[in-house]
Amino acid sequence: MFKAVIPARHASTRLPGKPLLDIAGKPMVVRVAEQALKSGADEVLVATDHPEIESVCINHGLQVVMTRGDWPTGTDRIAEVAQLKGWANDTVVVNVQGDEPLIDPALIDLVAKALLEDAQDIATCGHAIDNWEEFKNPNVVKIAMREDGEALYFSRAPIPYPRDAYATESWPQGVPAGQLGIRHIGLYAYRARFLKVYQTLPPARIEVLESLEQLRALANGFRIKVCMIQDAPLPGVDTAQDLEKVRALFGSR
């Protein structure tokens, strides 16, 4: 049993009001919640600071929690929900990004089970990169892995860095396809005890530099288990172009 929480921020930089954007007749945040409700979660909640998002969720029969408006990350917002709800320390909470209306419910279940079957405090997902341009793309977050399958570091830079390959700007010789790097999928499961600590920690220097909230956990000694999956998930919505792609996918169903 686990909780799924969807942080929904109205003040998106690239797409203001993103959770309320229409996708095939329903607001995006509702589409995300519908996917989360198909997972094994015993409770699905939307966490927001905006009254219009709250109203939309209530009108669609969704549980919603109003949070502070000044949290720098979705994890901080979810930590407030865990505190308000009084969840026990061992409660597993999955952070389902509010801009993933096509998220696979089985993936939510997978990352939750990774913690339910383990004593760690955080789990996330990744898959092998098989494209040189994707590996170099700063919008694709990469994971450097420990030998035991835990995350060593996350970066927008190409890591691990294939030094010799950059002389020719091509796939490095001797590296099989799919083994150049690991793409991070922004889905997290946490134990509530971690969230209670995370909320008290100031943003880490590397977190601010990379603009990656999970680095606050690594910078403070927490370990992150990485669940490897075979294929990339369906696209989320970061830009107006992404929105049109997702709308088209819904329209083709």
Side-chain angles (χ1 to χ4, degrees), residues 31-228:
R31 291 294 186 188
V32 176
E34 287 177 341
Q35 293 300 96
L37 286 164
K38 297 174 188 174
S39 72
D42 62 298
E43 194 172 9
V44 175
L45 306 96
V46 175
T48 187
D49 60 349
H50 198 276
E52 190 174 352
I53 296 174
E54 178 190 33
S55 178
V56 162
C57 290
I58 292 172
N59 289 340
H60 283 83
L62 301 172
Q63 289 194 66
V64 59
V65 178
M66 290 296 286
T67 63
R68 282 171 38 183
D70 58 347
W71 291 123
T73 72
T75 303
D76 289 295
R77 194 178 303 280
I78 291 173
E80 183 183 356
V81 173
Q83 182 182 33
L84 291 171
K85 288 290 185 178
W87 288 334
N89 284 343
D90 282 337
T91 303
V92 171
V93 185
V94 178
N95 177 349
V96 182
Q97 304 286 350
D99 56 6
E100 298 280 349
L102 293 166
I103 185 74
D104 184 354
L107 191 56
I108 298 171
D109 197 49
L110 174 71
V111 74
K113 285 180 177 176
L115 282 196
L116 290 168
E117 298 169 358
D118 200 293
Q120 294 179 25
D121 287 319
I122 315 167
T124 191
C125 297
H127 71 87
I129 295 174
D130 59 6
N131 179 284
W132 178 248
E133 293 304 317
E134 183 178 75
F135 181 64
K136 296 191 299 178
N137 186 346
N139 293 319
V140 175
V141 177
K142 275 72 68 174
I143 315 173
M145 299 281 287
R146 290 171 24 153
E147 292 298 318
D148 60 4
E150 293 183 9
L152 180 64
Y153 189 69
F154 298 82
S155 182
R156 298 183 183 279
I159 59 170
Y161 187 85
R163 182 194 63 180
D164 296 337
Y166 273 83
T168 58
E169 281 288 310
S170 61
W171 193 275
Q173 291 186 354
V175 177
Q179 294 186 20
L180 180 60
I182 297 169
R183 179 176 185 159
H184 180 232
I185 299 165
L187 182 69
Y188 302 94
Y190 324 99
R191 292 195 185 276
R193 64 179 175 234
F194 161 76
L195 290 170
K196 293 173 184 177
V197 175
Y198 184 90
Q199 197 177 42
T200 69
L201 299 172
R205 184 178 62 87
I206 55 174
E207 171 192 0
V208 174
L209 285 171
E210 295 259 21
S211 191
L212 296 173
E213 63 191 272
Q214 64 270 35
L215 291 177
R216 192 187 315 177
L218 289 183
N220 284 278
F222 290 96
R223 296 161 62 184
I224 302 177
K225 182 176 183 177
V226 180
C227 306
M228 293 297 295

